[in-house]
Amino acid sequence: MQSTVAPVPDSHGHFGEYGGMFVPETLMSPLQDLTRAFTEAWQDPAFLQELKGLLAEYVGRPTPLYFAERLTQELGGAKIYLKREDLLHTGAHKINNALGQVLLAKRMGKTRVIAETGAGQHGVATASAAARFGLECVIYMGAVDMERQALNVTRMRLLGARVVAVTAGQKTLKEAVNEAMRDWVTNVRQTHYVLGTAYGSHPYPWMVREFHRVIGDEARRQILEREERLPNLITACVGGGSNAIGIFFAFLEDPKVRLVGVEAGGEGIHPGRHAARFQGGSLGVLQGTKSYVLQNADGQIELTHSVSAGLDYAAVGPEHAYLRQIGRAEYTYATDTEALEAFQKLARLEGIIPALESSHAVAYAIKVAPSMPKDQLLLVNLSGRGDKDVEQVDRMLRQAKR
């Protein structure tokens, strides 16, 4: 296992062979401007202080580190801790990045922000931050995702955002990203694209990671205060990979801490029935970056499926591909059935209703904790809460009983 990991991508946005800037010529200059603006802001004490204040007073950081005592007792193995990102304003980790990018957009003189969203949490977070700073906001969302995440659509509209239904292709997250990029190309002068995960062209994977690394920085301090040692294993769900890289990053130089990302296994690893890129994908280029992509032999993007809209995506963030290649992080998957079971178990044992996305990481913890010694520590990044998923889960459980 390699323990030394480059803290930033290279000047062209590469994490090893992954990442880069695969975009139309019309976006090269805006992306270079964004790279300069973020680099300057990230070194500006005034910007960092304003962001820190907003994260505390508006967002609700730091989030607690919670010992899941009853879940631990039920499983009979490692002590399970939850990093409670579900307690943040708007209900998920997404607000860390959305707020940071909207603050950056304001600094750059932009008057309009756009975003894509799958589960709706990034859309709600972006709409909230835009409202806070008085910026126009447009959210692109697949029509299928709008139906299964209707509550978040209403929330975005209440916050003043215009939600645009995307009806092309599979009508989910990939198509929403396509539409957002088309908008940005057309309106780049006054518009900033608040990309919602650690994916896309440089500088987005780097920038999104930096806005989310607060998760891991807090978790590291908290577990040392609580247990006086580091966790043996950290797990997080992986769609594009923002919550996972956010908690993993603070522990990359600690080789004794296992890092495990959990993808969406859907209905099993069969073409079109899952979204586990490391299980069924191959190296390719999609939407601005080089990484693992679900594609056929001709390079055509395959259909994806997951019970969770936020993990239902055909590619994975390039830094995750790099961490997997060098052996610093491992990646597995949980099926829809396992995620639904974990959703119910955490609710009934701990009184915490997790997002279906986060339930994939909980499912992995439920699977491995019993085989771990009782003196070991297992940390789960609970990236979001499940209010948005309650109606969908109720409908699925009623159907299963028929």
Side-chain angles (χ1 to χ4, degrees):
M1 178 183 291
Q2 179 172 328
S3 61
T4 302
V5 181
V8 294
D10 67 22
S11 59
H12 299 290
H14 291 101
F15 300 88
E17 66 179 297
Y18 309 102
M21 302 176 78
F22 295 86
V23 294
E25 190 64 31
T26 50
L27 283 180
M28 287 300 294
S29 180
L31 284 167
Q32 290 167 350
D33 291 344
L34 178 60
T35 302
R36 283 192 295 270
F38 175 68
T39 302
E40 292 171 2
W42 211 235
Q43 297 171 352
D44 182 353
F47 178 87
L48 296 176
Q49 190 60 35
E50 183 176 6
L51 178 60
K52 182 179 179 181
L54 287 164
L55 287 173
E57 297 170 7
Y58 183 68
V59 173
R61 303 212 71 93
T63 58
L65 189 70
Y66 170 73
F67 173 46
E69 183 176 6
R70 293 196 67 221
L71 182 62
T72 298
Q73 291 174 349
E74 172 85 6
L75 298 176
K79 292 179 69 175
I80 299 174
Y81 281 90
L82 307 178
K83 181 57 173 163
R84 297 292 306 278
E85 295 297 287
D86 59 308
L87 294 177
L88 288 175
H89 176 47
T90 72
H93 74 291
K94 293 292 188 181
I95 189 69
N96 302 319
N97 168 59
L99 183 66
Q101 286 201 50
V102 170
L103 193 61
L104 182 63
K106 177 172 168 279
R107 177 186 174 101
M108 294 173 69
K110 306 294 184 179
T111 58
R112 179 176 180 265
V113 293
I114 61 174
E116 87 297 330
T117 195
Q121 288 301 131
H122 175 59
V124 170
T126 301
S128 298
R132 168 64 179 77
F133 289 105
L135 302 182
E136 181 186 351
C137 182
V138 177
I139 307 294
Y140 291 92
M141 191 171 188
V144 169
D145 291 339
M146 288 182 70
E147 183 177 345
R148 60 180 170 177
Q149 299 292 342
L151 174 62
N152 275 343
V153 174
T154 301
R155 293 172 75 196
M156 286 182 270
R157 288 170 174 160
L158 286 171
L159 289 161
R162 182 166 67 91
V163 184
V164 178
V166 179
T167 57
Q170 200 175 343
K171 307 176 187 178
T172 56
L173 185 56
K174 176 174 66 71
E175 290 77 22
V177 173
N178 285 339
E179 289 304 312
M181 290 184 73
R182 289 190 186 99
D183 184 317
W184 196 33
V185 169
T186 305
N187 302 292
V188 69
R189 185 167 297 177
Q190 78 274 23
T191 298
H192 172 67
Y193 177 15
V194 185
L195 201 154
T197 193
Y199 191 75
S201 172
H202 180 65
Y204 281 105
W206 167 48
M207 182 168 65
V208 173
R209 181 197 72 198
E210 292 299 291
F211 283 133
H212 279 308
R213 63 184 292 185
V214 63
I215 305 170
D217 291 341
E218 286 179 7
R220 186 185 180 89
R221 289 195 301 270
Q222 290 167 328
I223 198 72
L224 287 173
E225 289 172 3
R226 187 74 174 266
E227 294 281 351
E228 298 184 343
R229 56 196 170 112
L230 294 177
N232 299 89
L233 189 156
I234 300 173
T235 188
C237 65
V238 178
S242 61
N243 92 91
I245 202 64
I247 197 166
F248 287 176
F249 192 74
F251 299 89
L252 290 181
E253 299 294 337
D254 302 294
K256 292 185 179 179
V257 179
R258 284 182 63 202
L259 307 174
V260 181
V262 186
E263 298 185 285
E267 296 172 351
I269 308 303
H270 309 288
R273 304 314 306 155
H274 69 97
R277 290 63 48 98
F278 291 128
Q279 303 297 322
S282 57
L283 193 59
V285 173
L286 179 66
Q287 294 173 330
T289 198
K290 185 179 183 181
S291 188
Y292 271 77
V293 180
L294 291 172
Q295 57 189 341
N296 64 21
D298 297 321
Q300 297 299 308
I301 304 304
E302 292 182 344
L303 297 178
T304 57
H305 164 78
S306 173
V307 70
S308 56
L311 304 185
D312 195 357
Y313 186 57
V316 66
E319 190 164 10
H320 286 292
Y322 171 66
L323 293 177
R324 177 178 179 266
Q325 182 183 65
I326 66 171
R328 183 60 195 95
E330 308 162 44
Y331 296 86
T332 184
Y333 65 91
T335 64
D336 287 352
T337 298
E338 290 169 332
L340 282 166
E341 290 172 353
F343 181 98
Q344 296 171 80
K345 187 180 283 288
L346 193 65
R348 291 171 181 171
L349 289 176
E350 296 292 347
I352 298 170
I353 300 176
L356 281 171
E357 290 76 16
S358 313
S359 298
H360 287 69
V362 176
Y364 176 73
I366 290 170
K367 184 182 296 185
V368 301
S371 64
M372 296 172 65
K374 290 187 177 182
D375 63 347
Q376 291 200 348
L377 307 177
L378 196 170
L379 174 56
V380 180
N381 195 25
L382 200 69
S383 56
R385 64 176 178 251
D387 307 41
K388 65 184 179 60
D389 299 314
V390 167
E391 288 188 12
Q392 180 187 355
V393 170
D394 180 60
R395 184 167 60 250
M396 293 176 72
L397 293 177
R398 282 189 281 108
Q399 289 173 349
K401 291 178 180 178
R402 291 175 185 170

